[in-house]
Amino acid sequence: MTVTTLRDAVALTDRPTRPSALGTTLTFGWRALLKIKHVPEQLFDVLVSPVIFTLMFTYLFGGALAGSTQAYVQFLLPGILVQTILFVTIYTGYTLNNDISKGVFDRFRSLPIWRPSPVVGALLGDTVRYTIASVITIALGLLLGFRPEGGLAGVVLGVLLLLVFAFALSWTFIILGLLVRSPNAVMGISMLVLMPLTFASNVFVDPATMPSGLRAFVEVNPVTHLVTAERSLMAGSPDTSAILWVLVASVVLTAVLGPIAMRIYRTKT
C-alpha cells in the first residue's frame, strides 16, 4: 500500500457531525453506571447504609420515643430516606475529584463536546444510585411495618421530590470536588457539613421536644423542610408550603451553583 493510498484513505472531505448535548450527557451518564458495574464497591454505602440506619434507629429509639418500633417507623422512615440520599450525594464530588486526580477530566475538556456534559452526565448516573438507595430504604421500612397512608402515589411523589432536591444539592459537592486536593478531603468536609444538618433536624424526633435554641435552628434547617414535605406526601396530606419550599430551593441551588461549578470546571488547571 503506497503513501498516496494511505493519505487518500484518511483524508476526509466532510467533518463528522458534532455530537448533541443530550447524546454526550447520556453517554457520560452511562459511563457513571459502568463505573459502578466494574467497581461494585461503590454500591456498598447505597446498599448497606440504609439498612444499618433504619434498623439501628428503629430498634434503639422506637420503644422509648413512640412506645413501639412499628409506631416509630411511621415517623422515622421518611426522615431516614432523606438522610440516606443526602449522604449518597457526597459521592458525586468524591468521584469527580477522583477523576480529576487521575487526569481523566483533562481529556474530557479537550473533546469537541458540550462542556457541561461530563458533569451533568455524572449527576444523571448518580441519580440511579439515589433511586436504588430509596427503593432499599422503603422496602426495608415496609418489612418493619411502615404503611404510607398516601399509598404508592404518595411514595413515588416523595421519592421524585427527593431526587430533584438531591440533584440540586449535588452541585455543592461538585464545587467541593473541584476545589479540594483529594477525594478523602471531599468526603471529610462533606460529612462535617451534612452531619449537623441531618441530625439537628426533625428526622428523628419532633422539634417541639427540643430546647428553644436548638428548636430555632431546626425550624430553619433546610433538611427539616425536606423531611416535612416527604412525610406529608407519604401520609397522603401534602404540605403545600413545604413542597414549594423544596422545589424553589432546588431551582435556586441549581441556578446559582451550576454556573459556578461549570466556571470552576472550565478554568481549573
Side-chain angles (χ1 to χ4, degrees), residues 160-239:
L160 289 177
L161 183 67
L162 181 55
L163 293 181
V164 169
F165 185 82
F167 181 91
L169 182 65
S170 294
W171 289 106
T172 304
F173 302 114
I174 286 175
I175 293 174
L176 189 60
L178 290 168
L179 293 177
V180 303
R181 294 185 177 182
S182 69
N184 288 336
V186 175
M187 185 69 67
I189 296 172
S190 300
M191 291 299 293
L192 286 176
V193 173
L194 283 182
M195 289 289 283
L197 289 176
T198 53
F199 282 93
S201 70
N202 63 344
V203 169
F204 303 105
V205 296
D206 187 341
T209 64
M210 301 177 183
S212 58
L214 179 58
R215 185 168 66 250
F217 172 79
V218 169
E219 289 175 350
V220 298
N221 186 345
V223 175
T224 297
H225 294 285
L226 180 57
V227 173
T228 299
E230 292 295 309
R231 285 195 178 117
S232 69
L233 285 169
M234 293 187 182
S237 54
D239 186 327

Side-chain angles (χ1 to χ4, degrees), residues 58-260:
T58 298
Y59 287 105
L60 277 177
F61 303 134
L65 296 178
S68 69
T69 56
Q70 186 168 356
Y72 186 56
V73 79
Q74 291 293 129
F75 176 86
L76 175 70
L77 191 95
I80 282 290
L81 179 63
V82 169
Q83 184 192 54
T84 298
I85 301 306
L86 293 187
F87 282 161
V88 173
T89 59
I90 294 174
Y91 287 91
T92 302
Y94 178 88
T95 55
L96 173 62
N97 188 277
N98 196 40
D99 280 342
I100 291 172
S101 65
K102 293 179 179 179
V104 175
F105 265 70
D106 289 333
R107 173 56 178 157
F108 291 161
R109 289 191 298 182
S110 69
L111 297 175
I113 58 176
W114 185 51
R115 281 295 182 88
S117 58
V119 176
V120 178
L123 280 174
L124 292 179
D126 285 337
T127 302
V128 176
R129 293 159 59 93
Y130 308 154
T131 305
I132 293 172
S134 299
V135 171
I136 292 173
T137 304
I138 293 170
L140 179 60
L142 292 173
L143 289 175
L144 295 178
F146 176 64
R147 297 296 180 264
E149 295 181 9
L152 179 61
V155 171
V156 171
L157 289 174
V159 170
L160 289 177
L161 183 67
L162 181 55
L163 293 181
V164 169
F165 185 82
F167 181 91
L169 182 65
S170 294
W171 289 106
T172 304
F173 302 114
I174 286 175
I175 293 174
L176 189 60
L178 290 168
L179 293 177
V180 303
R181 294 185 177 182
S182 69
N184 288 336
V186 175
M187 185 69 67
I189 296 172
S190 300
M191 291 299 293
L192 286 176
V193 173
L194 283 182
M195 289 289 283
L197 289 176
T198 53
F199 282 93
S201 70
N202 63 344
V203 169
F204 303 105
V205 296
D206 187 341
T209 64
M210 301 177 183
S212 58
L214 179 58
R215 185 168 66 250
F217 172 79
V218 169
E219 289 175 350
V220 298
N221 186 345
V223 175
T224 297
H225 294 285
L226 180 57
V227 173
T228 299
E230 292 295 309
R231 285 195 178 117
S232 69
L233 285 169
M234 293 187 182
S237 54
D239 186 327
T240 305
S241 62
I243 294 171
L244 286 176
W245 189 96
V246 172
L247 292 175
V248 171
S250 300
V251 172
V252 171
L253 283 173
T254 303
V256 174
L257 299 181
I260 294 174

